[in-house]
């Protein structure tokens, strides 16, 4: 079994970077040239999945393999929540990272994959601290705070990174150093005492935390970085825009120079038509009003 | 005021390139080594040319070498980096992606990496394979770091040094059992490692070695 640090270590190498959703080898090459630190190989970007209303599954290994062969950066791919056989297949393919993702249709509404049983590292989504820690307890070596995938609306991602950060602070303030309090709280959120204690002592998750879902502009990426995320996933935003290469480069630069307004001004200028998007408010009137971020627990 | 200036002139400054990757880990271990050994050194992150030029030494961290090199090129930092690393008064350490970025030659997957053309070695990217082949090795570095045995290092999609292009200038510091060269020094000024001492929790011995042998010695 691979040491956990070997798995979480790759996520550390991705920090400060942008991971881009790609559906073809050509897009993967554009992403790599733009400076993506990894790509997520999938058959449909979330914006299209959202419209389709169909069951969304692991992508065909043939297309994932093509993408793996076309770039030198790490390649990730998604499996359905709880679908450990899809994960076994991707591990056999030697994928670099698996995303157990709520963007696909869950295979198990009760249990996530026992990720500690795998050599390949996993990234999982989370809306709050308890959810993040439960995934880490199961073996996730990287967390992405969930935004609402396929919308281009960044507000859910903002909400969830702020929630996780404020919960860490709140737990530190209310639990203090009291072993009994910490044990009780750990039990109530379904994680081990040691894991919660680590978070309280260090003021952060024990694994890298990226933002994901709804990132459509360089300013969105920088916003999430300033709020404390360690990197960003960009899904539909890039290849739904009129000039994907330019936007991809701009988001990469904005993620590096997230605290430098001059650079952000430069890279935010003249980007052409951005993803039209779908506001969270309007979702309830759409054909597929389901909130993907609410899947998972 | 005069006294203050004299003091700051003596303080060496190490910059950690912070375009992408595991730079925070390097900073944490540098600070630990500085605190433990009372070195008169300060550490800053480097994203811009003015920050870089204020440094005596530079660490290029692990990350994605394509990403780091492309961002450097695009933001105009690349030329300043070239100038800095080729300045004989400066010291430099590259880990993993940093090693790739420094190497004079790459034997594969080289099209997107604009090299800093410094370290006289040929490097193979992802030499062990994909993430499935990443591993930990407990190393005995006592041949070049006094008493440094049992040091755990991480090889993550790691490169190796396939060939040393100048036997006169480049010294091999460490070789794995299979013969792969994974640590070299060039003229006591440039350090290259294909592994990640910055991931070794709280073990600052490697960083202290860099400070003593390179930063303070140069």
């Amino acid at each position: 079994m691979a040491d956990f640090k070997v798995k979480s270590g790759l996520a550390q190498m991705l920090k400060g970077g942008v991971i881009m959703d790609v559906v073809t080898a050509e897009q993967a090459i554009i992403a790599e040239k733009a400076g993506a630190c990894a790509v997520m190989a999938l058959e449909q970007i979330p914006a299209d999945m959202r419209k389709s209303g169909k069951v969304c599954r692991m992508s065909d290994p043939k297309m994932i393999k093509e993408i793996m062969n076309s770039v030198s950066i790490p390649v990730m791919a998604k499996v359905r929540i709880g679908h450990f056989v899809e994960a076994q297949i991707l591990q056999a393919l030697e994928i670099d990272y698996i995303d157990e993702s709520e963007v696909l249709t869950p295979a198990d509404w009760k249990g996530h994959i026992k990720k500690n049983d795998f050599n390949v590292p996993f990234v999982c989504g989370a809306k709050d601290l308890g959810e993040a820690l439960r995934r880490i307890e199961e073996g996730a070596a990287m967390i992405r705070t969930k935004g609402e995938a396929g919308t281009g609306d960044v507000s859910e991602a903002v909400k969830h990174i702020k929630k996780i950060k404020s919960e860490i602070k709140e737990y530190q303030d209310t639990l203090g150093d009291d072993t009994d309090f910490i044990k009780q709280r750990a039990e109530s959120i379904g994680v081990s005492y040691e894991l919660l204690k680590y978070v309280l002592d260090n003021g952060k998750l024990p694994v890298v935390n990226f933002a994901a879902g709804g990132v459509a502009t360089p300013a969105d990426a920088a916003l999430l970085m300033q709020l404390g995320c360690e990197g960003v996933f960009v899904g539909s935003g890039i290849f739904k825009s009129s000039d994907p290469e330019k936007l991809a480069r701009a988001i990469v630069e904005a993620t590096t120079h997230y605290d430098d307004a001059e650079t952000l001004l430069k890279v935010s200028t003249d980007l052409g038509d951005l993803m039209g998007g779908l506001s969270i408010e309007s979702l309830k009137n759409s054909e597929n009003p389901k909130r993907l971020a609410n899947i998972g627990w | 005021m005069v006294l203050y200036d004299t003091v700051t002139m003596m303080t060496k400054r190490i910059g950690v390139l912070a375009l992408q990757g595991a730079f925070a880990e390097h900073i944490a271990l540098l600070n630990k080594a500085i605190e433990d050994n009372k070195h008169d050194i300060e550490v800053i992150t480097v994203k811009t040319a003015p920050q870089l030029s204020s440094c005596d030494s530079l660490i290029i961290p692990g990350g994605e070498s394509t990403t780091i090199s492309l961002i450097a090129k695009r933001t105009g930092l690349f030329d300043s980096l070239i100038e800095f690393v080729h300045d004989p008064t400066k010291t430099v350490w590259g880990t993993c992606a940093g090693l790739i970025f420094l190497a004079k030659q790459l034997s594969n997957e080289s099209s997107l990496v604009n090299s800093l053309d410094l370290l006289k070695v040929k490097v193979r990217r992802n030499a062990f394979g994909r993430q499935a082949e990443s591993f930990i090795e407990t190393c005995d570095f006592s041949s070049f770091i006094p008493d440094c045995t049992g040091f755990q290092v991480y090889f993550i999609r790691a490169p190796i040094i396939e060939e040393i292009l100048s036997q006169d200038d480049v010294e091999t510091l460490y070789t794995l059992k299979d013969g792969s060269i994974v640590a070299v020094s060039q003229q006591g000024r440039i350090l290259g490692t294909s592994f990640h001492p910055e991931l070794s929790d709280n073990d600052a011995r490697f960083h202290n070695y860099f400070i003593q042998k390179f930063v303070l010695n140069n």
Side-chain angles (χ1 to χ4, degrees), chain B residues 15 27 36 65 81 93 126 133 150 170 177 181-182 198 216:
Chain B
I27 292 166
D36 289 353
S65 51
L81 280 168
W93 178 15
N126 300 328
E133 271 69 52
V170 180
K177 285 184 206 84
I181 302 170
V182 294
E198 74 277 18
L216 295 176

Side-chain angles (χ1 to χ4, degrees), chain A residues 2 18 24 37 40 96 100 113 135 144 149 156 204 249 268-270:
Chain A
V18 181
T24 61
C37 66
M40 177 75 71
D96 296 300
E100 186 182 19
I113 296 169
R135 297 295 87 78
R144 49 177 174 74
E156 290 290 290
K204 63 192 281 295
R249 283 198 306 269
S268 298
T269 303
D270 193 22

Side-chain angles (χ1 to χ4, degrees), chain A residues 70-128:
Chain A
S70 67
V71 292
S72 66
I73 54 180
V75 178
M76 303 181 165
K78 291 181 194 290
V79 300
R80 286 177 267 175
I81 289 177
H83 207 313
F84 53 87
V85 174
E86 285 186 346
Q88 289 164 3
I89 291 166
L90 290 186
Q91 175 161 283
L93 184 67
E94 297 210 324
I95 196 83
D96 296 300
Y97 240 92
I98 292 177
D99 183 0
E100 186 182 19
S101 177
E102 70 282 358
V103 172
L104 304 184
T105 314
D108 185 340
W109 288 92
K110 287 240 159 64
H112 284 73
I113 296 169
K114 290 177 182 146
K115 292 166 277 287
N116 283 319
D117 294 349
F118 287 80
N119 279 319
V120 59
F122 281 77
V123 54
C124 287
K127 298 182 296 294
D128 55 43

Side-chain angles (χ1 to χ4, degrees), chain A residues 262-288:
Chain A
E262 293 290 326
T263 301
L264 296 177
L265 168 62
K266 195 181 81 196
V267 301
S268 298
T269 303
D270 193 22
L271 289 174
D273 288 337
L274 299 173
M275 176 184 180
L278 199 58
S279 77
I280 299 291
E281 274 302 300
S282 74
L283 279 183
K284 52 180 175 286
N285 303 321
S286 71
E287 282 172 43
N288 188 6

Side-chain angles (χ1 to χ4, degrees), chain B residues 26 38 188:
Chain B
H26 271 296
K38 312 252 180 304

Side-chain angles (χ1 to χ4, degrees), chain B residues 113-129:
Chain B
V113 183
N114 293 289
S115 162
L116 293 175
D117 196 25
L118 176 68
L119 194 57
K120 296 171 182 169
V121 295
K122 186 199 263 189
V123 167
R124 171 167 289 274
R125 290 183 65 196
N126 300 328
F128 299 93

